[in-house]
mmCIF file of all heavy atoms in Angstrom:
data_model
loop_
_atom_site.group_PDB
_atom_site.id
_atom_site.type_symbol
_atom_site.label_atom_id
_atom_site.label_comp_id
_atom_site.label_asym_id
_atom_site.label_seq_id
_atom_site.Cartn_x
_atom_site.Cartn_y
_atom_site.Cartn_z
ATOM 1 N N ILE H 137 27.241 27.884 -5.862
ATOM 2 C CA ILE H 137 26.696 26.521 -5.835
ATOM 3 C C ILE H 137 25.730 26.411 -4.627
ATOM 4 O O ILE H 137 24.848 25.589 -4.693
ATOM 5 C CB ILE H 137 27.871 25.484 -5.690
ATOM 6 C CG1 ILE H 137 27.371 24.101 -5.971
ATOM 7 C CG2 ILE H 137 28.568 25.621 -4.344
ATOM 8 C CD1 ILE H 137 28.403 23.051 -6.134
ATOM 9 N N ILE H 160 19.731 31.022 -16.206
ATOM 10 C CA ILE H 160 18.891 30.144 -17.054
ATOM 11 C C ILE H 160 17.600 30.834 -17.275
ATOM 12 O O ILE H 160 16.885 31.385 -16.479
ATOM 13 C CB ILE H 160 18.534 28.772 -16.317
ATOM 14 C CG1 ILE H 160 19.877 28.027 -15.989
ATOM 15 C CG2 ILE H 160 17.698 27.910 -17.218
ATOM 16 C CD1 ILE H 160 19.654 26.835 -15.128
ATOM 17 N N GLU H 177 39.079 27.117 -24.931
ATOM 18 C CA GLU H 177 39.534 25.970 -24.155
ATOM 19 C C GLU H 177 38.394 25.237 -23.423
ATOM 20 O O GLU H 177 38.556 23.962 -23.202
ATOM 21 C CB GLU H 177 40.547 26.399 -23.065
ATOM 22 C CG GLU H 177 41.748 27.154 -23.582
ATOM 23 C CD GLU H 177 42.551 27.751 -22.447
ATOM 24 O OE1 GLU H 177 41.996 28.132 -21.394
ATOM 25 O OE2 GLU H 177 43.779 27.915 -22.583
ATOM 26 N N THR H 195 17.511 17.117 -14.438
ATOM 27 C CA THR H 195 16.566 18.235 -14.206
ATOM 28 C C THR H 195 17.320 19.591 -14.337
ATOM 29 O O THR H 195 18.319 19.813 -13.640
ATOM 30 C CB THR H 195 15.970 18.165 -12.802
ATOM 31 O OG1 THR H 195 15.244 16.917 -12.664
ATOM 32 C CG2 THR H 195 15.022 19.294 -12.487
ATOM 33 N N ASP H 198 13.858 22.846 -11.060
ATOM 34 C CA ASP H 198 12.634 22.257 -10.347
ATOM 35 C C ASP H 198 11.889 23.562 -9.844
ATOM 36 O O ASP H 198 12.277 24.164 -8.922
ATOM 37 C CB ASP H 198 13.073 21.404 -9.183
ATOM 38 C CG ASP H 198 11.907 20.803 -8.405
ATOM 39 O OD1 ASP H 198 10.751 21.305 -8.682
ATOM 40 O OD2 ASP H 198 12.076 19.862 -7.576
ATOM 41 N N LYS H 235 13.570 43.914 -22.489
ATOM 42 C CA LYS H 235 13.931 42.469 -22.125
ATOM 43 C C LYS H 235 14.185 41.653 -23.348
ATOM 44 O O LYS H 235 15.137 40.796 -23.330
ATOM 45 C CB LYS H 235 12.769 41.922 -21.317
ATOM 46 C CG LYS H 235 12.952 42.243 -19.907
ATOM 47 C CD LYS H 235 11.980 41.304 -19.025
ATOM 48 C CE LYS H 235 12.286 41.554 -17.505
ATOM 49 N NZ LYS H 235 11.616 40.595 -16.713
#
Side-chain angles (χ1 to χ4, degrees):
I137 196 168
I160 302 173
E177 299 171 331
T195 301
D198 183 345
K235 277 198 174 187

